[in-house]
Amino acid sequence: MDFHSPRTWADALALKAEHPEAVPIAGGTDVMVELNFNRHRPPALIDISAVPELAQWDRADGHLRVGAGVSYTRLVRELGPRLPGLAMAARTVGSPQIRNRGTVGGNLGSASPAGDAHPPLLAGRASVELASVRGTRLVPVEEFFTGPKRSVLAADELISAFVVRPAPGPEQFCKVGTRNAMVIAVASFAISLDPEHGRVGTGIGSAAPTPRRAAGAEELLEAELSAAGMWERPRPLPDGLLHRFAELVTSAASPIDDVRGSAAYRRHALAIMARRALSWAWADLMRNGNAPCN
Amino acid sequence: MQLRLEVNGVPYETDDVWEGESLLYVLRERLGLWGSKNACEQGECGSCSVLLDGELVCSCLVAAGQAQGRHVVTVEGLGRDGRMSAVQEAFLEAGAVQCGFCTPGLVVATEDLLRHNPAPSDVEIREALAGNLCRCTGYEKVLDAVRAAAGTSR
Ligand SMILES: Cc1cc2nc3c(=O)[nH]c(=O)nc-3n(C[C@H](O)[C@H](O)[C@H](O)COP(=O)(O)OP(=O)(O)OC[C@H]3O[C@@H](n4cnc5c(N)ncnc54)[C@H](O)[C@@H]3O)c2cc1C
Ligand code: FES
Ligand code: FES
């Protein structure tokens, strides 16, 4: 097996173009499990963990551009207040050991329907930046996943970053599993509220072949809240609205029975998480007015 | 491949390393440092925990090649002059060691916790040690040990 250790982004892209079959390794928290159990012996590894460009984040035209190699630990520490939903999700990933190594780039690269970064990225309408020697393209997260563990990432491409607006308002993330730590989600849900523009973002995890939005639920909430003038003057949400929102979130999912949970349980859990996440986010909004947090 | 790294302040060089093997395998099978334990090889148990350039990681999830030129601290490197560290003493005193298989990982994780947070609350201790499994103690004595170590290192 070949082991490539590029020290610059240009070298990493050149190596991936030259060896499209080589597997990139960042934090290794997915790749090494495969290797240790002999599930997969790639012909080559490209270690991108020492490429400085991937470990950086910065701000540009009102957006954050976060390098694919920023670890969950750093995300929580350095970007927590700007990306509260993603930071909440990052806090639930594995253990301190896993969060020190694991990256959002690796989460996207694995493209598991249960990846915890995905629902908040969907809710925040983030884009994934993909790069190759051919050039760079920006793909909305919603279009990134094509199936379980499959994405639009081409063989010669690497994920360079994700691009997202700092949270325009309250965000929440909920996840159910068998215990509080070290758990792959049985189902998860993220919400992001944008009071200034009257927009709602959602993301569902572990309850469909890919992470996905609940577009119907977003539209319902946007329509009802603006009709009632509730964005300008937040009042407690009517129970009926919470209920219909949860129903539309559940109907956007298409869960299956597997070792971690049944489809029926996932639907049930999703409805409860959708209700809770929305109530908590709305309570934040009522407390803080509609001041954007950044 | 040839691998050079520093473990507990000592430079090592080892040949014929398979690029895809783990840092844990290198430590145990090539360098004879058996302190770090291998129980799951999938990041679940934390018994292989080491500090890689000062950061707490599962050495079973670090590819050998990723450790090239890096500094590793294992449980063997925590004591000074043949004496155990305060954390190790506290584990022994508190009876937090039964079969001892999880102990190296717990001790390294505790060292890391106390370096960042010298006076952790119980919740913070639980959070910090959530990635370390113990099949014997039921964790109560482990919590006692961490509290005691935090007391002595304050
Ligand atoms: C004990 C344990 C607990 C876990 N708990 C959780 C959890 O709670 N939630 C969760 O979501 N995940 C969890 N995971 C899975 C894993 O930690 C995450 O998916 C993590 O985000 C992977 O990041 P990494 O940098 O370690 O990826 P790696 O293992 O390095 O790579 C993962 C995949 O992405 C590809 N890749 C990595 N970086 C790039 C890039 N820049 N461009 C293109 N491809 C790339 C790799 O080739 C590989 O296919 C857990 C794993 C373990 C071992
Ligand atoms: S052996 Fe590494 S975490 Fe279990
Ligand atoms: S003392 Fe036996 S596993 Fe912890």
Side-chain angles (χ1 to χ4, degrees), chain A residues 1-3 5 7 25-30 32-33 35-39 41 45 47-49 71 73-74 77 91 94-101 179 181-182, chain B residues 1 18-23 40-46 49 52 55-58 60-66 68 70 105 109 112 127-133:
Chain A
M1 192 172 75
D2 289 327
F3 192 88
S5 311
R7 289 290 182 265
I25 177 168
T29 59
D30 282 323
M32 285 306 289
V33 175
L35 282 179
N36 289 346
F37 286 82
N38 269 317
R39 283 191 201 124
R41 283 254 156 135
L45 291 176
D47 174 22
I48 53 174
S49 66
S71 68
T73 300
R74 285 187 54 209
R77 197 188 305 137
R91 270 190 211 98
S95 59
Q97 288 90 328
I98 302 298
R99 293 193 288 276
N100 282 344
R101 295 287 291 167
R179 71 173 179 129
M182 301 287 271
Chain B
M1 70 187 280
W18 180 62
E19 291 75 4
E21 71 192 41
S22 68
L23 171 60
C40 73
E41 289 195 285
Q42 51 181 316
E44 295 279 347
C45 74
S49 299
L52 179 67
E55 197 168 59
L56 183 71
V57 305
C58 294
C60 70
L61 298 182
V62 177
Q66 293 185 298
Q68 186 75 260
R70 316 270 306 256
D112 181 66
E127 281 279 324
L129 302 183
N132 293 77
L133 296 182

Side-chain angles (χ1 to χ4, degrees), chain B residues 96-103 106 133-137 142:
Chain B
V97 182
Q98 285 191 32
C99 79
F101 204 86
C102 66
T103 311
L106 275 166
L133 296 182
C134 172
R135 59 193 168 179
C136 308
T137 63
V142 172

Side-chain angles (χ1 to χ4, degrees), chain A residues 9 16 22-34 40 45-49 54 67-72 89-95 98-99 101-112 114-118 129-131 144 153-154 157-161 173 175 181-185, chain B residues 40-45 58 60-61 66 131:
Chain A
W9 182 232
K16 191 62 176 133
V23 169
I25 177 168
T29 59
D30 282 323
V31 170
M32 285 306 289
V33 175
E34 300 274 307
H40 181 54
L45 291 176
I46 302 178
D47 174 22
I48 53 174
S49 66
L54 286 181
V70 173
S71 68
Y72 293 111
R91 270 190 211 98
T92 75
V93 172
S95 59
I98 302 298
R99 293 193 288 276
R101 295 287 291 167
T103 64
V104 173
N107 215 219
L108 289 165
S110 292
S112 158
D116 283 325
H118 310 148
E129 192 185 281
L130 304 177
F144 178 76
L153 187 70
E157 280 181 319
L158 291 172
I159 302 164
S160 40
F173 173 77
K175 166 178 173 182
M182 301 287 271
V183 149
I184 298 177
Chain B
C40 73
E41 289 195 285
Q42 51 181 316
E44 295 279 347
C45 74
C58 294
C60 70
L61 298 182
Q66 293 185 298

Side-chain angles (χ1 to χ4, degrees), chain A residues 104-202:
Chain A
V104 173
N107 215 219
L108 289 165
S110 292
S112 158
D116 283 325
H118 310 148
L121 289 176
L122 281 166
R125 297 204 164 80
S127 297
V128 187
E129 192 185 281
L130 304 177
S132 69
V133 289
R134 293 176 287 124
T136 298
R137 58 183 177 135
L138 211 54
V139 178
V141 174
E142 204 183 349
E143 293 161 26
F144 178 76
F145 306 103
T146 54
K149 309 205 169 174
R150 287 203 314 273
S151 73
V152 299
L153 187 70
D156 66 343
E157 280 181 319
L158 291 172
I159 302 164
S160 40
F162 64 91
V163 177
V164 66
R165 273 199 310 155
E171 295 190 337
Q172 285 291 335
F173 173 77
C174 301
K175 166 178 173 182
V176 281
T178 42
R179 71 173 179 129
N180 259 344
M182 301 287 271
V183 149
I184 298 177
V186 177
S188 60
F189 181 73
I191 190 165
S192 174
L193 300 179
D194 179 352
E196 192 190 337
H197 302 96
R199 301 294 307 275
V200 177
T202 58

